[in-house]
């Protein structure tokens, strides 16, 4: 229903050039929600979030740390693809604070429906959308932030697209290892919740 309503959203100008609204996907009662920045080129065409290179990298990393991909809900802070045309290519363009704010009611509505135990924000845009514009990913990356208005736990890490942009193989391997460390914290946190539930 929410996704259907979002198809007709005209809350900002991004709907004009994008192919379609790309709403979140996943179990409606998922314990874990990932929030990225916005759909990319492949997501815009497919109408599904995290199906392009960044999404594949995220799935691979989740598998490595034992988080089942199909148990997580994945979405974005902004639901339409913002890009600059370059010949036949469409280059990602960062959404403005205004566009992020215009789209936040959709994200808030998704969180309200899913009620995840833990939200993982991917990249600065998603982190600032939920944790405020003063939030600095460089300072608080990988920390479990407790008792937020959104979920009992929120953890901010980088967007997987940052790993794909690493300048060389060494830098990419380092960035991937750091990303895995953050996801291991997420996996541990979710396991602690399962243990607590089993004990009651
Ligand atoms: S980006 Fe968000 S607020 Fe803007 S038109 Fe799309 S769904 Fe609406």
């Amino acid at each position: 229903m929410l996704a259907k309503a979002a198809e007709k959203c005209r809350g900002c100008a991004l709907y004009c050039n994008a192919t379609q609204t790309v709403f979140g996907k996943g179990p409606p009662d998922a314990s874990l929600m990932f929030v990225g920045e916005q759909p990319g080129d492949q997501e815009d065409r497919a109408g599904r979030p995290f199906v392009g290179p960044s999404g594949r990298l995220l799935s691979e990393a989740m598998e490595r740390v034992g988080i089942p991909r199909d148990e997580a809900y994945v979405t974005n802070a902004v639901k339409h693809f913002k890009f600059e045309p370059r010949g036949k290519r469409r280059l990602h363009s960062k959404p403005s604070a205004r566009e992020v704010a215009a789209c936040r009611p959709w994200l808030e509505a998704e969180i309200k429906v899913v009620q995840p135990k833990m939200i993982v924000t991917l990249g600065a845009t998603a982190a600032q959308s939920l944790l405020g514009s003063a939030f600095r990913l460089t300072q608080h990356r990988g920390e479990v932030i407790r008792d937020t208005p959104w979920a009992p736990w929120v953890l901010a890490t980088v967007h997987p697209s940052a790993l794909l942009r690493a300048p060389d193989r060494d830098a990419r391997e380092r960035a991937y290892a750091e990303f895995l460390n953050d996801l291991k914290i997420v996996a541990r946190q979710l396991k602690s919740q399962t243990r607590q539930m089993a004990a009651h």
Side-chain angles (χ1 to χ4, degrees):
M1 308 99 279
L2 263 183
K4 200 84 195 139
E7 283 175 11
K8 297 188 177 63
C9 181
R10 302 291 181 261
C12 74
L14 293 185
Y15 76 91
C16 300
N17 297 325
T19 309
Q20 56 194 319
T21 309
V22 180
F23 211 70
K25 283 268 185 298
D29 58 350
S31 302
L32 176 62
M33 179 185 280
F34 284 93
V35 182
E37 182 191 76
Q38 62 165 349
D41 182 73
Q42 291 189 27
E43 287 82 6
D44 171 74
R45 295 179 202 280
R48 294 176 67 88
F50 288 96
V51 294
S54 293
R56 285 194 289 276
L57 191 55
L58 176 64
S59 300
E60 180 194 305
M62 287 171 72
E63 199 177 315
R64 288 275 296 268
V65 303
I67 301 174
R69 173 70 175 77
D70 56 0
E71 288 179 18
Y73 186 97
V74 290
T75 190
N76 284 298
V78 170
K79 314 292 191 221
H80 275 107
F81 178 37
K82 183 176 181 182
F83 60 93
E84 298 274 343
R86 282 276 189 293
K88 284 190 180 158
R89 296 178 62 211
R90 304 188 301 169
L91 300 185
H92 163 274
S93 176
K94 190 177 156 62
S96 67
R98 213 185 165 125
E99 288 154 351
V100 174
C103 216
R104 192 162 46 229
W106 291 118
L107 179 58
E108 289 176 9
E110 283 179 296
I111 294 171
K112 221 168 166 179
V113 169
V114 178
Q115 297 189 5
K117 288 283 172 300
M118 187 161 200
I119 296 177
V120 178
T121 60
L122 302 167
T125 300
Q128 291 183 346
S129 176
L130 290 182
L131 300 168
S133 55
F135 182 85
R136 291 290 167 264
L137 186 54
T138 43
Q139 286 169 18
H140 300 290
R141 173 182 179 173
E143 288 176 12
V144 178
I145 303 163
R146 291 166 197 275
D147 303 323
T148 75
W150 311 109
W153 306 312
V154 173
L155 181 141
T157 184
V158 295
H159 195 281
S161 63
L163 279 53
L164 296 171
R165 288 195 305 270
D168 55 46
R169 198 175 152 173
D170 279 359
R172 186 178 167 189
E173 280 175 4
R174 263 198 316 276
Y176 187 60
E178 286 166 9
F179 188 61
L180 283 182
N181 282 341
D182 290 342
L183 291 190
K184 280 178 195 161
I185 296 169
V186 174
R188 268 205 303 275
Q189 195 67 31
L190 288 170
K191 272 199 189 115
S192 77
Q193 180 224 349
T194 315
R195 277 200 300 273
Q196 273 171 21
M197 279 165 64
H200 285 107

